[in-house]
């Protein structure tokens, strides 16, 4: 199947975060990394510093020689990680899988969420707008049919860029007369080998594919494929390291005393948790419930279970935990899974070979969504894809609270 992939890359990420938080740095050459006099390199620098020839990975001594008037700062990784999490929250709203490359850079698989290239363009522009509106930061975004093309596209109009490469032909047209180094997997060493063999441009690679494979082996094969625009790699999601649980919580705008309403919202939270688990192909073998009461007192309850195969399993277990708690006005409700594993509890059974259209849990889920739809006069089916978005989830819960 054809893929549609977005590559997002923040512009001068560390420097932009620092400038955002300290406007007196605006418009100045800002260099994040080591300080002059220390041993070390430039991690990121502002575009004003780049005008002096300073760039990432440059020795700090050299940077200082080029730009003595620059402002030098140590990186504040805890802060950048927190911003990175906020970025992921935005990105995850629009993709079925995201592959993190760095704190500020990721591939997003939008094949199913966008459906068409037009749809992907809308998503890309929405991501740019939300990143600016909500986080005060700018990014460059590329939309394309492959990972390489998406990465190439996001580089094309940096900073604050947008570019799209719809198919192989468009990629080849764009790249054919460029230096081999324009293929972003080609580093300085590889380029030297290619130049020495008289291969200078992407066209040269395309016309000398056997030679390039002979010269570089496996990498040569990849380059020869790229020179034809071919790159079928998938977006491979991975769970952030050390993640031990997946959860979703919601704070009501006003405290809620109606248990049935809280449970209905728990179903939506379970759906969100399940979607995230699916993204990483993980199953939870434990369910957690978190409640903050109106007096700010917190409780957490958890329980080991066989394995949650779907949202209904998570919801049912969370409701059992909920039913054992005190009945008091609730400010925040959270549902989660833990004890994560890549294996579900269920082995292949005869049912899997018979043509049973839906599992009973799925049927139950559908009837629950129908019930909610009737109760709150909301079309949950029609908005199921939307409900995973933080903003929509909050709006929906508030709507349910007011129309209860
Ligand atoms: Mg970046």
């Amino acid at each position: 199947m054809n893929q549609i992939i977005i590559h997002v890359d923040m512009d001068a990420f560390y420097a932009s975060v620092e400038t955002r938080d300290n406007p007196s740095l605006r418009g100045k050459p800002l260099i994040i990394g080591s300080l002059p006099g220390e041993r070390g390199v430039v991690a990121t620098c502002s575009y004003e510093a780049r005008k002096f020839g300073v760039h990432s990975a440059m020795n700090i001594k050299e940077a200082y020689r080029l730009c003595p008037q620059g402002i030098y700062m140590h990186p504040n990784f805890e802060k950048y990680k927190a911003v990175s999490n906020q970025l992921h929250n935005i990105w995850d709203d629009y993709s079925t899988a995201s592959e993190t490359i760095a704190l500020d850079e990721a591939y997003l698989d939008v094949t199913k969420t966008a459906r068409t290239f037009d749809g992907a363009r809308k998503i890309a522009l929405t991501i740019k707008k939300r990143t600016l509106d909500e986080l005060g930061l700018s990014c460059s975004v590329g939309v394309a049919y492959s990972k390489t093309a998406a990465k190439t596209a996001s580089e094309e109009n940096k900073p604050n860029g947008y570019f799209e490469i719809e198919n192989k032909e468009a990629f080849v047209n764009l790249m054919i007369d460029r230096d081999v180094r324009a293929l972003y997997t080609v580093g300085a060493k590889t380029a030297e080998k290619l130049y020495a063999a008289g291969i200078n441009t992407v066209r040269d690679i395309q016309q000398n594919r056997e030679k390039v494979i002979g010269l570089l082996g496996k990498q040569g094969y990849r380059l020869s494929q790229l020179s034809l625009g071919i790159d079928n790699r998938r977006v491979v999601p991975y769970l952030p390291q050390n993640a031990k649980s997946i959860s979703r919580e919601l704070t009501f705008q006003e405290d809620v005393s109606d248990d049935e309403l809280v449970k209905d919202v728990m179903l939506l939270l379970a759906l969100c948790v399940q979607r995230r688990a699916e993204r990483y192909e993980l199953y939870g073998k434990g369910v957690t419930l978190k409640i903050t009461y109106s007096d700010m007192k917190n409780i957490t309850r958890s329980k080991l279970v066989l394995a949650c195969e779907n949202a209904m399993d998570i919801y049912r277990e969370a409701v059992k935990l909920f039913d054992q708690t005190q009945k008091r006005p609730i400010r925040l409700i959270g549902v989660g899974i833990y004890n994560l594993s890549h294996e579900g509890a269920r082995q292949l059974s005869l049912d899997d070979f018979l043509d049973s259209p839906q599992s009973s849990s799925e049927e139950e889920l559908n009837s629950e969504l129908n019930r909610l739809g009737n109760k709150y006069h909301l079309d949950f089916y029609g908005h199921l894809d939307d409900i995973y978005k933080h903003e929509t989830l909050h709006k929906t819960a508030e709507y349910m609270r007011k129309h209860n």
Side-chain angles (χ1 to χ4, degrees), residues 44 49 56 64 72-73 158 167 195 207 231 239 269 273 302 343 375 377:
T44 313
S56 321
Y64 189 70
Y72 290 79
M73 278 177 68
K158 233 178 185 320
N167 50 39
Y195 297 151
Q207 292 176 350
D231 171 18
L239 194 65
L269 294 171
V273 169
S302 59
E343 279 159 47
K375 181 171 171 188
H377 306 289

Side-chain angles (χ1 to χ4, degrees), residues 8-14 44 47 50 102 104-105 155 158:
V8 199
D9 186 15
M10 302 305 292
D11 301 323
F13 183 51
Y14 303 168
T44 313
Y47 285 91
R50 291 177 200 203
D104 73 320
E105 188 183 342
E155 286 289 322
K158 233 178 185 320

Side-chain angles (χ1 to χ4, degrees), residues 304-358:
L304 286 169
V305 294
L306 260 180
C308 297
E309 297 271 341
N310 55 47
M312 210 54 211
D313 293 342
I314 300 173
Y315 169 68
R316 256 193 307 261
E317 297 300 336
V319 164
K320 283 186 205 161
L321 292 170
F322 181 80
D323 285 338
Q324 294 161 14
T325 61
Q326 293 174 32
K327 301 302 166 233
R328 296 164 52 193
I330 287 173
R331 174 190 165 90
L332 172 148
I333 182 82
V335 171
I337 53 175
Y338 66 102
N339 212 357
L340 303 176
S341 128
H342 283 290
E343 279 159 47
R346 205 170 51 112
Q347 298 294 320
L348 276 185
S349 71
L350 190 59
D351 280 349
D352 295 301
F353 298 100
L354 301 172
D355 204 20
S356 57
Q358 281 181 332

Side-chain angles (χ1 to χ4, degrees), residues 204-260:
D204 294 339
I205 296 179
Q206 200 189 69
Q207 292 176 350
N208 298 281
R209 298 204 295 281
E210 293 300 320
K211 190 174 169 184
V212 171
I213 294 168
L215 200 63
L216 299 171
K218 208 172 167 185
Q219 193 197 1
Y221 175 75
R222 250 187 67 60
L223 292 180
S224 76
Q225 294 282 92
L226 276 184
S227 73
L228 300 169
I230 301 167
D231 171 18
N232 297 321
R233 290 174 306 147
R234 301 258 153 206
V235 174
V236 184
Y238 81 102
L239 194 65
Q241 262 183 342
N242 304 325
K244 294 200 172 76
S245 64
I246 298 173
S247 64
R248 197 73 182 261
E249 57 187 47
L250 184 136
T251 305
F252 293 107
Q253 291 304 306
E254 280 173 34
D255 299 336
V256 170
S257 304
D258 179 345
D259 290 351
E260 292 311 310

Side-chain angles (χ1 to χ4, degrees), residues 62-314:
E62 173 69 1
Y64 189 70
R65 194 184 61 76
L66 292 169
C67 188
Q69 65 273 62
I71 297 166
Y72 290 79
M73 278 177 68
H74 281 149
N76 184 348
F77 285 113
E78 285 311 309
K79 189 196 239 180
Y80 311 145
K81 267 188 222 159
V83 178
S84 179
N85 285 335
Q86 293 174 310
L87 289 170
H88 275 275
N89 283 340
I90 294 178
W91 299 341
D92 287 355
D93 281 350
Y94 304 99
S95 60
T96 53
S98 63
E99 180 176 341
T100 306
I101 309 300
L103 281 182
D104 73 320
E105 188 183 342
Y107 290 110
L108 315 177
D109 186 342
V110 296
T111 313
K112 285 187 189 141
T113 46
R115 293 194 183 92
T116 62
F117 224 81
D118 270 347
R121 182 181 303 130
K122 276 186 204 133
I123 287 177
L125 297 176
T126 307
I127 288 175
K128 277 175 71 72
K129 185 172 186 308
R130 282 190 61 190
T131 307
L132 191 62
D133 292 351
E134 294 171 26
L135 303 179
L137 296 168
S138 83
C139 59
S140 294
V141 181
V143 182
Y145 68 97
S146 77
K147 283 166 93 170
T148 302
K151 170 115 178 156
T152 305
S154 78
E155 286 289 322
E156 201 61 21
N157 285 324
K158 233 178 185 320
N160 195 19
Y162 174 78
F163 196 76
E164 53 193 56
I165 302 177
E166 193 162 354
N167 50 39
K168 284 188 287 205
E169 293 69 32
F171 179 78
V172 173
N173 276 337
L174 180 74
M175 305 297 280
I176 193 84
D177 289 316
R178 293 188 180 177
D179 188 279
V180 292
R181 291 208 62 176
L183 296 174
Y184 77 90
T185 47
V186 177
K189 273 187 192 161
T190 307
E192 283 314 316
K193 283 186 201 162
L194 289 167
Y195 297 151
I199 292 165
N200 298 303
T201 64
V202 174
R203 188 190 302 278
D204 294 339
I205 296 179
Q206 200 189 69
Q207 292 176 350
N208 298 281
R209 298 204 295 281
E210 293 300 320
K211 190 174 169 184
V212 171
I213 294 168
L215 200 63
L216 299 171
K218 208 172 167 185
Q219 193 197 1
Y221 175 75
R222 250 187 67 60
L223 292 180
S224 76
Q225 294 282 92
L226 276 184
S227 73
L228 300 169
I230 301 167
D231 171 18
N232 297 321
R233 290 174 306 147
R234 301 258 153 206
V235 174
V236 184
Y238 81 102
L239 194 65
Q241 262 183 342
N242 304 325
K244 294 200 172 76
S245 64
I246 298 173
S247 64
R248 197 73 182 261
E249 57 187 47
L250 184 136
T251 305
F252 293 107
Q253 291 304 306
E254 280 173 34
D255 299 336
V256 170
S257 304
D258 179 345
D259 290 351
E260 292 311 310
L261 170 61
V262 175
K263 288 182 196 175
D264 291 343
V265 170
M266 282 165 59
L267 178 65
L268 303 185
L269 294 171
L271 278 165
C272 294
V273 169
Q274 172 63 17
R275 162 110 147 197
R276 204 162 171 84
E278 266 168 25
R279 183 185 291 266
Y280 301 112
E281 292 174 17
L282 286 167
Y283 300 92
K285 296 189 177 178
V287 170
T288 54
L289 174 77
K290 178 180 168 185
I291 301 175
T292 305
Y293 294 108
S294 54
D295 60 0
M296 297 303 285
K297 189 186 168 229
N298 274 310
I299 64 159
T300 310
R301 297 285 179 267
S302 59
K303 175 182 185 196
L304 286 169
V305 294
L306 260 180
C308 297
E309 297 271 341
N310 55 47
M312 210 54 211
D313 293 342
I314 300 173

